């Protein structure tokens, strides 16, 4: 992509309304634009990141055996009356009437609808286990939408729902999602620590939240420093191996980790040696629940069991805040100059800077490398605008692509370009004919 042809409305100054780094940086780099309180348009750069995160989430759900579907954003109120949540959900639920005066709502979550879909689509216990998920926009009329996409009113969520015959099978489904979350967040380049959580209005028996540590997080967190020593980056698992999956869950849950809602100071002090007691703040990026029959019972989700008797299905639900993650990743990965994208979600892999647009040699060298990178499928953003070098450096640091290739007349005399790593700041001179090979 040529920057001269891109749509990236960068702001010169920090927007006043932004209280935290991710919100400020997303507005400054023109990733999003606010349309109403807690509601954003995703502009080309922001949209690319959102889609990359979504795709990683999808791949890891599929790998864990979940099946993708897509449910509508608008739901009928009737199903919610059956589960009793139409009244319980309160003002966060956006209620709408259609022209026939029927009550609709903009889905804040989908337990009711998916349970109904599942109930009407299966015959017997043989149709289980199943896990269905979708990645769809939700609306919650939050009292205080803030921090940009972190607490929006309209936001993108992945929500999965498991259905099992027995409690043990339901627990395995829960454990599989737990492990798939560890893998998902690792691929996104962040460490999201699982913490035992309150089940809140969604209810249920067992629940964990996954929190990214960041000073601007809304939850207080307390955890055992030994968690840092676990291997978060290369998790290998056979999802069919019930015991191995359960063991991995215990490995990550046996150490003390709790949000302020569940924190118990005396237990913390008992279980964690003094020097290892860490506390700070965290951003909730995922939340999983095991319900047992909380939804399946009122919604009549029953199947024929092996002995012919009816069994009430065991279910769980598993959310990931896809749009919140865009902000969450920035909170965890930025510096004073701007964003530092993890490679897996960066909008482009390489930023190519032409220091002297209009200079025949510089233009030709850049064109050649730009075209060769594109041809090899390397995502490259070429700054071909006629602007001073300083402004280009600042813009490239601000948008935070993992690599910069800087080409100017001085280096060209020696046949070299400068390659800079955004994260470490390390710079290296590389021969022009080696550049493409570095990235392809
Ligand atoms: P919170 O405690 O932050 O309000 P929640 O517990 O109500 O979130 P869940 O019902 O657990 O949210 O939703 C699953 C995931 O969706 C959350 O872990 C979070 O990542 C994301 N999410 C929830 N509310 C919002 C929001 N208003 N804006 C963006 N993402 C959200
Ligand atoms: Mg939650």
């Amino acid at each position: 992509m040529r920057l001269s042809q891109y749509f990236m409305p960068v702001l010169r100054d920090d927007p006043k309304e932004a209280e935290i780094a991710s919100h400020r940086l997303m507005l400054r780099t023109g990733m999003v634009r606010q349309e109403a309180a807690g509601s954003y348009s995703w502009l080309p750069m922001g949209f690319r990141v959102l889609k990359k995160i979504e795709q990683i989430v999808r791949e890891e759900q599929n790998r864990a055996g979940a099946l993708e579907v897509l449910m509508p954003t608008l739901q009928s109120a009737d199903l919610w009356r059956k589960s009793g949540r139409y009244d319980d959900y309160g003002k966060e639920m956006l209620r709408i009437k259609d022209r026939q005066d029927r009550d609709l709502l903009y889905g804040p979550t989908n337990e009711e609808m998916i349970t109904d879909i599942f109930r009407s689509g299966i015959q017997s216990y043989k149709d289980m286990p199943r896990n269905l998920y979708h990645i769809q926009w939700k609306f919650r009329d939050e009292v205080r939408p803030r921090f940009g996409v972190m607490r929006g009113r309209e936001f993108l969520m992945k929500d999965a729902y498991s259905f099992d015959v027995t409690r043990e099978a339901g627990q395995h489904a829960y454990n599989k999602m737990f492990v798939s979350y560890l893998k998902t967040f690792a691929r996104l380049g962040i460490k999201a620590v699982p913490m035992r959580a309150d089940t809140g209005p969604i209810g249920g028996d067992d629940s964990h939240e996954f929190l990214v540590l960041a000073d601007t997080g809304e939850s207080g967190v307390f955890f055992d420093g030994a968690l840092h020593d676990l291997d978060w980056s290369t998790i290998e698992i056979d999802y069919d191996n019930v015991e191995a999956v359960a063991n991995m869950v215990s490995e990550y849950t046996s150490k003390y980790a709790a949000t302020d809602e569940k924190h118990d100071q005396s237990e913390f002090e008992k279980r964690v040696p003094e020097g290892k007691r860490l506390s700070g703040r965290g951003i909730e990026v995922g939340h999983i629940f095991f319900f047992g029959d909380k939804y399946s019972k009122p919604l009549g989700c029953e199947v024929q069991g092996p002995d012919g008797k009816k069994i009430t299905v065991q279910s769980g639900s598993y959310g990931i805040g896809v749009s919140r993650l865009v902000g969450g990743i920035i909170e965890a990965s930025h510096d004073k100059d701007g964003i530092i994208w993890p490679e897996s979600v960066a909008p482009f892999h390489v930023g190519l800077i032409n220091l002297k647009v209009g200079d025949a040699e510089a233009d030709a060298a850049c064109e050649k490398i730009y075209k060769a990178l594109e041809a090899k499928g390397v995502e490259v953003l070429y700054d071909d605008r006629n602007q001073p070098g300083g402004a280009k450096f600042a813009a490239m640091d601000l948008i935070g692509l993992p690599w910069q290739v800087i080409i100017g007349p001085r280096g060209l005399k020696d046949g070299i370009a400068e390659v800079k790593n955004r994260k470490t700041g390390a710079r290296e001179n590389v021969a022009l004919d080696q550049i493409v090979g570095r990235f392809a």
Side-chain angles (χ1 to χ4, degrees), residues 56 180-192 231-235 342 344:
I56 289 174
S180 82
Y181 277 35
L182 294 176
K183 289 173 75 81
T184 302
F185 295 126
R187 280 186 66 190
L188 294 173
I190 52 177
K191 199 181 267 186
D231 179 6
W232 294 81
S233 57
T234 49
I235 293 164
S344 58

Side-chain angles (χ1 to χ4, degrees), residues 61-333:
Q61 290 291 291
N62 293 347
R63 207 170 277 179
L67 305 165
E68 189 169 12
V69 299
L70 184 59
M71 291 174 268
T73 52
L74 290 183
Q75 304 185 22
S76 148
D78 294 343
L79 273 175
W80 287 72
R81 291 202 174 96
K82 265 194 220 163
S83 74
R85 282 209 297 179
Y86 191 62
D87 296 322
D88 287 359
Y89 221 95
K91 290 198 161 173
E92 277 200 8
M93 181 187 277
L94 180 64
R95 295 152 210 260
I96 304 161
K97 273 193 195 296
D98 69 9
R99 66 205 292 167
Q100 325 284 5
D101 223 27
R102 278 186 293 243
D103 291 320
L104 300 175
L105 55 101
Y106 195 115
T109 178
N110 284 66
E111 281 81 8
E112 283 76 1
M113 189 179 276
I114 197 80
T115 307
D116 201 50
I117 290 174
F118 184 72
R119 183 186 56 77
S120 60
I122 55 153
Q123 308 291 330
S124 83
Y125 71 97
K126 289 182 192 146
D127 298 321
M128 281 182 276
R130 289 291 183 275
N131 181 324
L132 303 174
Y133 76 99
H134 74 163
I135 301 175
Q136 176 64 293
W137 293 91
K138 306 289 188 292
F139 193 96
R140 294 182 186 174
D141 204 350
E142 301 270 357
V143 198
R144 258 192 90 196
R146 58 181 185 155
F147 299 163
V149 300
M150 299 265 260
R151 183 164 296 284
R153 291 198 298 166
E154 193 175 345
F155 59 96
L156 188 60
M157 195 206 283
K158 182 286 299 181
D159 37 328
Y161 303 89
S162 64
F163 301 95
D164 286 273
V165 183
T166 62
R167 260 196 100 74
E168 295 71 52
Q171 187 67 50
H172 179 53
Y174 181 89
N175 290 348
K176 283 205 287 189
M177 282 292 112
F178 185 106
V179 173
S180 82
Y181 277 35
L182 294 176
K183 289 173 75 81
T184 302
F185 295 126
R187 280 186 66 190
L188 294 173
I190 52 177
K191 199 181 267 186
V193 183
M195 308 204 173
R196 189 162 293 284
D198 256 346
T199 46
I202 292 185
D205 300 342
D206 195 3
S207 175
H208 287 91
E209 287 175 350
F210 289 75
L211 289 106
V212 176
L213 303 177
D215 296 339
T216 46
E218 291 186 291
S219 316
V221 296
F222 301 83
F223 60 101
D224 186 340
L227 273 166
H228 279 308
D229 306 334
L230 293 174
D231 179 6
W232 294 81
S233 57
T234 49
I235 293 164
E236 292 301 333
I237 195 79
D238 169 4
Y239 282 114
D240 295 328
N241 186 334
V242 176
E243 206 185 317
V245 174
N247 287 343
M248 184 163 292
V249 173
S250 349
E251 195 184 338
Y252 284 82
T253 52
S254 57
K255 306 210 167 38
Y256 189 94
T259 60
D260 35 18
E261 286 170 352
K262 279 264 173 174
H263 177 59
D264 175 342
Q265 185 65 24
S266 65
E267 197 199 332
F268 188 41
E269 286 171 16
K270 206 159 57 194
R271 285 178 49 194
V272 187
E274 201 177 339
K276 287 273 184 189
R277 280 176 218 148
L278 300 183
S279 61
R281 306 206 63 80
I283 301 163
E284 179 192 326
V285 288
H287 198 167
I288 60 178
F289 301 85
F290 182 55
F291 299 134
D293 58 12
K294 179 175 155 114
Y295 291 96
S296 38
K297 209 170 203 163
L299 293 164
C301 189
E302 294 181 325
V303 292
Q304 197 89 36
D307 55 4
K309 282 203 205 110
K310 292 267 184 211
I311 324 173
T312 303
V313 169
Q314 300 283 315
S315 66
S317 88
Y318 314 92
I320 290 184
V322 176
S323 52
R324 176 178 288 183
L325 272 164
V326 181
I329 292 171
I330 298 175
E331 286 301 322
S333 185

Side-chain angles (χ1 to χ4, degrees), residues 26-55:
M26 288 180 73
L27 292 174
R28 274 207 64 191
T29 57
M31 288 177 64
V32 290
R33 193 184 83 128
Q34 184 173 336
E35 300 301 349
S39 149
Y40 292 84
S41 290
W42 292 81
L43 307 185
M45 178 95 80
F47 190 64
R48 280 179 86 101
V49 177
L50 184 70
K51 285 286 151 183
K52 290 203 169 175
I53 296 174
E54 181 184 323
Q55 185 56 22

